[in-house]
Amino acid sequence: MRPESLVGDHTIYACVMGSRAFGLATEGSDTDLRGVFLAPTPLFWRFEKPPTHVEGPAEEQFSWELERFCQLALRANPNILECLHSPLVEYADDTGRELLSLRGAFLSRRVHETFTRYAHGQRRKLDADVRTHGAPRWKHAMHLLRLLTSARDLLRTGSLTIDVGEGREALLAVKRGEVPWPEVESWMARLSEEGDRAARRSPLPEEPDRRRVEDFLFRARRASALQAGPYDEVVQGVVGRGGLGQG
């Protein structure tokens, strides 16, 4: 099965991410499409497994296979968690809606480490730009402030909201280069300190609910195996008898 067919025929969840989801879109902003597909279970019975992710087929489109998506979400990957909480959902079938209902199961205090690690990496790139060019890439500075704010609020409340809401104009001013870099640095430092304090008394659990997510994945795989398709005889032989026949 071609990768683009997996996305076209087996997507369970699709959303818009990037500036449009963050409430920071301006004229000319791209539309970043993200999604999750459920590869048919019989494809995993071959030596060559289906891909863990697919880029395309549309421009600015990227999709993950459900198992890989869940693995990354359980590790508190910032991009994956934000994808799960996009306010711009384009599509969700029954399995996709169940995935969305599990949003809370993926959240834990691990977000402090992963969001902070990602933020430090982005900050090093900004500092390198300042040393080399005398100024940061202001768009990247804006998005780092957004990420730090989102992480702090998540640790404080236990809920992830990615639309910046009333913070839009202040962040866009940073993007336009209207806020001096020392002020942006101070803003970043304050958000980091507030995030550290919030982590110490966060309502989030220490670990995500891995068992609940794994149960969902098992049921999704089993339902896929039972669906009618080009592998009917093999599928029914294996699933119907609970294993391969004893010849």
Side-chain angles (χ1 to χ4, degrees):
M1 183 173 289
R2 296 176 301 172
E4 57 268 28
S5 296
L6 289 171
V7 174
D9 299 337
H10 298 284
T11 289
I12 63 169
Y13 170 64
C15 68
V16 174
M17 282 302 299
S19 294
R20 297 191 183 280
F22 302 144
L24 292 168
T26 56
E27 186 177 353
S29 291
D30 293 332
T31 299
D32 299 322
L33 304 175
R34 298 293 180 265
V36 182
F37 62 90
L38 175 61
T41 298
L43 294 182
F44 290 91
W45 300 341
R46 299 173 171 179
F47 287 122
E48 184 177 354
K49 307 303 181 186
T52 59
H53 59 269
V54 174
E55 188 170 354
E59 291 187 13
E60 308 298 335
Q61 182 177 12
F62 193 96
S63 301
W64 295 267
E65 207 283 322
L66 177 60
E67 183 172 343
R68 179 59 173 165
F69 186 86
C70 289
Q71 288 173 334
L72 293 172
L74 286 169
R75 297 173 191 169
N77 179 288
N79 291 323
I80 298 295
L81 292 181
E82 289 184 336
C83 182
L84 264 179
H85 291 78
S86 173
L88 304 178
V89 175
E90 296 279 285
Y91 172 78
D93 65 6
D94 289 345
T95 307
R97 286 189 287 273
E98 185 170 0
L99 174 64
L100 292 177
S101 75
L102 290 172
R103 286 168 172 161
F106 294 104
L107 295 178
S108 70
R109 294 191 183 191
R110 289 185 181 184
V111 300
H112 182 235
E113 177 186 355
T114 56
F115 276 64
T116 299
R117 184 167 62 241
Y118 184 82
H120 285 168
Q122 295 303 303
R123 177 59 190 273
R124 286 194 293 271
K125 293 178 182 179
L126 291 172
D127 289 339
D129 287 337
V130 172
R131 290 193 300 271
T132 304
H133 306 293
R137 298 182 186 183
W138 292 109
K139 179 179 178 180
H140 293 181
M142 174 193 71
H143 280 298
L144 179 50
L145 288 167
R146 180 203 64 77
L147 180 75
L148 290 169
T149 302
S150 180
R152 179 203 62 187
D153 293 346
L154 169 57
L155 289 163
R156 281 178 172 175
T157 67
S159 299
L160 178 57
T161 302
I162 67 172
D163 189 303
V164 300
E166 296 179 355
R168 171 183 165 87
E169 292 307 318
L171 289 169
L172 289 178
V174 172
K175 181 182 179 181
R176 294 190 295 265
E178 297 171 359
V179 182
W181 176 238
E183 290 186 26
V184 174
E185 285 186 300
S186 297
W187 189 354
M188 290 176 179
R190 175 171 53 80
L191 288 172
S192 294
E193 292 171 0
E194 291 173 351
D196 290 343
R197 288 197 297 271
R200 291 193 286 270
R201 52 180 181 272
S202 176
L204 290 173
E206 290 290 338
E207 298 291 334
D209 194 341
R210 181 183 178 91
R211 179 175 296 182
R212 186 178 168 201
V213 174
E214 192 168 44
D215 174 69
F216 159 68
L217 179 62
F218 177 86
R219 288 185 288 102
R221 288 271 190 255
R222 189 174 189 278
S224 172
L226 291 170
Q227 286 181 352
Y231 311 95
D232 282 351
E233 292 183 7
V234 175
V235 171
Q236 295 306 321
V238 173
V239 178
R241 292 193 296 271
L244 292 174
Q246 302 293 319

